[in-house]
Amino acid sequence: LLALLSYPTLVEPRLTLHSQAVAWSWGFAAFAIACAWAAWKSSEPGMEANPEPAVETKDAGLESAPLADAEPPVPSLAERFLWIGLAACASVLLLAVTTYLTQNVAPIPLLWVVPLSLYLLSFILCFESDKLYPRWLFLPLLAAALGLFSYGINWYENNTDIKRLIPALCASLFVCCMVCHGELAKRRPHPKYLTQFYLMVSVGGAVGGLFVAFISPRIFQDYLELPIALVGCVVLVTCVLWNKSPKVAGAPVEARAMWIRAALILAVLGFAGYLGRAQAKKDRTYVRSARNFYGVLHVRDDKDGEYGSPAERVLVHGTIDHGTQLSRPGSERIPTSYFGRGSGISRALHTLHETRGHLRIGILGLGAGVTATLANEGDTLHYYEINPLILDIATHQFGFVNGCPAEKKVLMGDARLLLESIPSEQLDFLAMDAFSSEAIPVH
């Protein structure tokens, strides 16, 4: 944890990536040598583990028997799946919250180190002592955290100040991770099965990471990992508490358990229904939603006067509009949004057209293709775009690129690497319009 916290404060500001790679390589080599030395030392004679001493018990004339003969209960399959589920839920929450935090701000180490540090801190506290995870405190906090998460998702989609969003999401993440890891720590099995227990915890963490990084972008059209993880957290807590009902004075055991279980089930269904309704309402507002490695893209049709503007089609990435086309004939040649007649890019190109005539124009970032309205017949227009979904949407949901009379080409790939690798473009004008939601890529 200390090494992680030192990275954005000590390592990254002072060392280049090359220096970091060299230092890491030497450190990893030293680690491999240390592992080999430890393995060689452990194979020496006399290093075998000492047999567990027999603890004798005496009872009413029975012969002494070693305690080791009492076989501990084998963890059930359901218990193993619960270990995996709790670990996976915390892992998904960590990665989903990190995605939310870094979407509208450059993905710098400071922003991904904070949630990861809180995740690790919850591990440290919960496995240090069961006293550091009192259920009476963290279960009510979990209910508050789930509500704060729900509001946080709404804040995020409405561009709430990041200074409010970061503490809210991070605090909620910490509480949820404390609950997941605290319940894991409480369910540790007999030492004989600890190796299996920690293996299942590691499997759960890996499953959560694979779900967010590889499965979700292929099966979902929006960031649904966080709502799914929140519902999963409630379901897992319900499973944990199913037979852990608190005592209710004067109530029979069977009735008490029945009411507690019914309340838990209603909580799960209610929370899942709320999140599902919110997602369905959002989906109805979009003409198209698509997702890949680079994020989620939405195409929205706004009615006349709906957002204080005429009827238009809007491309949304994250929480930011990345291009607007008016819903009227001939709109494919009308510059809008950030690229209107009074904008800097429009004024610069207008002046260059007057002084130089036909231009060679290069633009980093395609978006909806609104900048194509600024190129004239006889111009050469080159776009450098990394996201294939952007090209598909710009040519099928918007008319700017198809309606541009200039000689145009879209070069796919990282613009910085493309410009380094291709021969000189001899451009008259180069614009940098590459954004991930609201953040300019750091490099």
Side-chain angles (χ1 to χ4, degrees), residues 205-265:
V207 167
L210 291 172
F211 174 73
V212 173
F214 294 103
I215 299 176
S216 294
R218 287 166 173 78
I219 65 175
F220 300 138
Q221 294 181 337
D222 205 343
Y223 287 125
L224 298 182
E225 301 94 305
L226 186 54
I228 289 174
L230 295 179
V231 173
C233 188
V234 179
V235 171
L236 289 166
V237 170
T238 302
C239 294
V240 167
L241 299 180
W242 194 255
N243 295 314
K244 301 287 184 182
S245 304
K247 293 182 179 180
V248 180
V253 175
E254 295 80 3
R256 182 184 69 234
M258 181 185 70
W259 283 109
I260 294 295
R261 292 170 181 176
L264 290 171
I265 292 174

Side-chain angles (χ1 to χ4, degrees), residues 167-183:
L169 291 181
C170 287
S172 302
L173 172 68
F174 178 71
V175 170
C176 291
C177 287
M178 281 294 294
V179 171
C180 291
H181 294 154
E183 296 300 336

Side-chain angles (χ1 to χ4, degrees), residues 108-427:
I108 54 177
L110 187 62
L111 280 181
W112 59 257
V113 162
V114 171
L116 181 55
S117 298
L118 294 174
Y119 172 85
L120 294 177
L121 181 62
S122 68
F123 251 124
I124 294 170
L125 295 177
C126 292
F127 282 84
E128 171 63 24
S129 171
D130 288 342
K131 295 180 180 179
L132 296 176
Y133 169 66
R135 276 191 179 133
W136 62 266
L137 173 63
F138 277 96
L139 290 184
L141 285 178
L142 176 65
L146 293 173
L148 194 56
F149 259 132
S150 301
Y151 277 108
I153 295 173
N154 182 62
W155 291 344
Y156 166 83
E157 292 171 352
N158 288 283
N159 279 326
T160 299
D161 187 356
I162 199 74
K163 294 179 181 178
R164 294 172 57 193
L165 192 61
I166 290 177
L169 291 181
C170 287
S172 302
L173 172 68
F174 178 71
V175 170
C176 291
C177 287
M178 281 294 294
V179 171
C180 291
H181 294 154
E183 296 300 336
L184 269 176
K186 285 182 179 294
R187 305 186 82 86
R188 284 193 300 264
H190 185 274
K192 179 177 180 180
Y193 300 105
L194 275 181
T195 301
Q196 184 183 113
F197 170 75
Y198 286 114
L199 174 62
M200 294 299 103
V201 171
S202 299
V203 167
V207 167
L210 291 172
F211 174 73
V212 173
F214 294 103
I215 299 176
S216 294
R218 287 166 173 78
I219 65 175
F220 300 138
Q221 294 181 337
D222 205 343
Y223 287 125
L224 298 182
E225 301 94 305
L226 186 54
I228 289 174
L230 295 179
V231 173
C233 188
V234 179
V235 171
L236 289 166
V237 170
T238 302
C239 294
V240 167
L241 299 180
W242 194 255
N243 295 314
K244 301 287 184 182
S245 304
K247 293 182 179 180
V248 180
V253 175
E254 295 80 3
R256 182 184 69 234
M258 181 185 70
W259 283 109
I260 294 295
R261 292 170 181 176
L264 290 171
I265 292 174
L266 287 175
V268 173
L269 294 177
F271 192 63
Y274 164 76
L275 292 175
R277 180 176 176 273
Q279 184 63 38
K281 182 180 178 182
K282 186 172 70 171
D283 288 342
R284 286 196 297 270
T285 65
Y286 297 124
V287 175
R288 180 180 177 185
S289 295
R291 178 180 179 180
N292 63 3
F293 173 81
Y294 299 102
V296 175
L297 296 169
H298 298 296
V299 178
R300 186 185 72 224
D301 280 348
D302 297 340
K303 298 178 182 178
D304 190 14
E306 186 173 1
Y307 291 92
S309 59
E312 58 190 8
R313 171 164 289 186
V314 184
L315 172 63
V316 182
H317 184 194
T319 63
I320 302 300
D321 294 354
H322 279 233
T324 302
Q325 182 174 355
L326 299 174
S327 301
R328 66 176 69 165
S331 61
E332 65 274 1
R333 295 297 296 159
I334 301 175
T336 58
S337 58
Y338 315 107
F339 316 104
R341 298 297 182 190
S343 64
I345 185 173
S346 179
R347 294 169 66 182
L349 283 171
H350 177 72
T351 301
L352 286 174
H353 276 125
E354 287 184 340
T355 56
R356 299 190 185 183
H358 299 316
L359 302 176
R360 292 184 61 85
I361 304 169
I363 299 179
L364 280 62
L366 174 60
V370 186
T371 47
T373 60
L374 306 177
N376 298 332
E377 188 174 0
D379 290 343
T380 298
L381 177 61
H382 286 183
Y383 283 106
Y384 313 94
E385 175 59 52
I386 196 172
N387 189 348
L389 268 180
I390 288 285
L391 177 59
D392 180 54
I393 290 175
T395 54
H396 290 89
Q397 267 72 46
F398 294 86
F400 298 117
V401 175
N402 296 333
C404 177
E407 180 187 340
K408 51 191 176 291
K409 181 190 295 185
V410 180
L411 292 85
M412 299 303 300
D414 188 307
R416 180 176 63 86
L417 299 179
L418 283 173
L419 289 171
E420 285 181 356
S421 62
I422 61 179
S424 174
E425 292 273 70
Q426 297 295 321
L427 298 173

Side-chain angles (χ1 to χ4, degrees), residues 19-55:
S19 300
Q20 293 177 41
V22 171
W24 171 256
S25 299
W26 281 108
F28 194 75
F31 169 73
I33 293 171
C35 286
W37 178 81
W40 175 70
K41 292 293 289 183
S42 65
S43 64
E44 291 180 353
M47 292 295 291
E48 294 85 358
N50 293 326
E52 184 178 346
V55 180

